Amino acid sequence: FKETGMTLTALNCNGNPLHPDQEVRNKHGNDVKVAIQLAALLGAGRVVTMSGTPGTNAAATLPAWTVMPWDSAYLDAQDYQWNEVAIPYWKDIQARAADADVKVCIEMHPHNIVYNPATMERLATTIKATHVGAEMDPSHLFWQGIDPVLALKKLGGLVYNAAAKDTRINAAAKVNGVLDDRFTRVPSDAPGVVGLGGLYTLSKWPKDSSWDFVAVGRGHDLAFWTEFMRAIKVIDPDMAVNIEHEDQELDRLEGLRFAADTLIRAANGA
């Protein structure tokens, strides 16, 4: 890394450490623990991961995202997910991270128990976090209607790391909204299939989607990204902001160049 002028700022092991399928849960849950040890040995100091999603009860075999629990049945599921599964696991991760002096940065990602500032603060408060906080990836906040700059100001020093990825809200969102269930299965033997642990694979993105991930600057303008970088600087002037490329309309190098150009101009203006 030194020879190329690169710095290793974090390790990433996104998965579902709370999955009700024991095979997936054991693998992904242990990956976070191993990543903490490895980050300490490498001097990276940070591990980026997701908070995970349990099932609705101890007999569940599939994860279930409990959101908007207007019916008390969903509150029952939420209580189980947080009190019986998530909190014990994350208390253990907090202890391991503190012992290794590594910051664990949770990506606030829908279909996880932590998906917005409120759930991030709830987890951090409950486990008395000193080494578990947030990774600020604005792309997953945009399509929820969250202003990432206001989220940064709300979370403050609880943000340990940042990712740079943009989201474009499409015209279809005006008809179908942003909660889009039109994803389809990809055969397990299909070329390029992405495994997600155990029997599970990444689904195919819907056509005429409500929103898409795009390169930085293709969903929100330079003025937004300048404010974003300014808010990051207030929290930690040395915080790494890592480009994440998922723009299906640009190849990898083209997407990285576009994002890097936007971020450099935004940082210079921040």
Side-chain angles (χ1 to χ4, degrees):
F1 287 109
K2 289 182 179 179
E3 292 177 358
T4 57
M6 296 178 65
T7 302
L8 182 63
T9 59
L11 302 183
N12 189 300
C13 61
N14 279 341
N16 186 354
L18 309 181
H19 203 295
D21 183 321
Q22 185 174 353
E23 178 186 358
V24 180
R25 180 176 69 251
N26 290 348
K27 174 67 167 61
H28 292 182
N30 192 59
D31 284 346
V32 178
K33 298 171 186 176
V34 172
I36 290 170
Q37 296 175 323
L38 184 57
L41 291 172
L42 293 172
R46 281 164 173 70
V47 170
V48 178
T49 189
M50 294 183 189
S51 57
T53 312
T56 57
N57 56 58
T61 59
L62 296 172
W65 186 36
T66 302
V67 63
M68 288 188 67
W70 61 272
D71 180 329
S72 65
Y74 302 116
L75 286 174
D76 292 343
Q78 186 183 69
D79 287 346
Y80 166 78
Q81 291 176 319
W82 278 81
N83 299 332
E84 303 300 322
V85 184
I87 291 171
Y89 176 80
W90 281 102
K91 279 186 175 179
D92 179 56
I93 293 300
Q94 156 62 29
R96 291 170 183 267
D99 186 60
D101 195 22
V102 168
K103 296 294 181 70
V104 177
C105 316
I106 295 177
E107 184 173 350
M108 294 177 286
H109 194 299
H111 280 279
N112 285 264
I113 62 159
V114 170
Y115 57 91
N116 63 9
T119 49
M120 182 67 251
E121 289 180 323
R122 184 189 308 164
L123 181 65
T125 299
T126 304
I127 67 172
K128 296 180 172 58
T130 60
H131 286 70
V132 173
E135 187 211 31
M136 172 51 70
D137 180 343
S139 66
H140 303 295
L141 304 186
F142 284 135
W143 70 262
Q144 295 184 73
I146 298 170
D147 182 335
V149 173
L150 294 180
L152 281 166
K153 293 177 180 178
K154 180 71 169 67
L155 292 170
L158 197 56
V159 178
Y160 298 150
N161 197 68
K165 187 172 69 175
D166 210 341
T167 303
R168 181 184 62 215
I169 308 299
N170 299 325
K174 295 180 179 179
V175 177
N176 294 320
V178 295
L179 299 177
D180 195 339
D181 74 342
R182 295 173 298 143
F183 290 73
T184 53
R185 296 181 188 275
V186 177
S188 59
D189 58 352
V193 64
V194 178
L196 297 178
L199 302 172
Y200 313 107
T201 58
L202 186 66
S203 303
K204 184 177 180 180
W205 202 261
K207 295 180 180 178
D208 189 27
S209 54
S210 292
W211 49 271
D212 292 297
F213 295 130
V214 292
V216 173
R218 297 191 67 225
H220 294 78
D221 61 16
L222 181 62
F224 165 80
W225 287 102
T226 300
E227 287 301 312
F228 179 80
M229 295 299 287
R230 186 173 292 134
I232 291 285
K233 186 185 294 186
V234 169
I235 296 171
D236 180 359
D238 298 321
M239 187 183 300
V241 181
N242 302 292
I243 295 171
E244 186 177 346
H245 175 69
E246 289 189 35
D247 193 324
Q248 299 302 305
E249 297 168 356
L250 302 177
D251 67 35
R252 293 175 183 175
L253 290 180
E254 186 180 11
L256 286 172
R257 289 192 188 100
F258 193 98
D261 177 68
T262 302
L263 280 181
I264 290 169
R265 288 189 291 147
N268 287 338

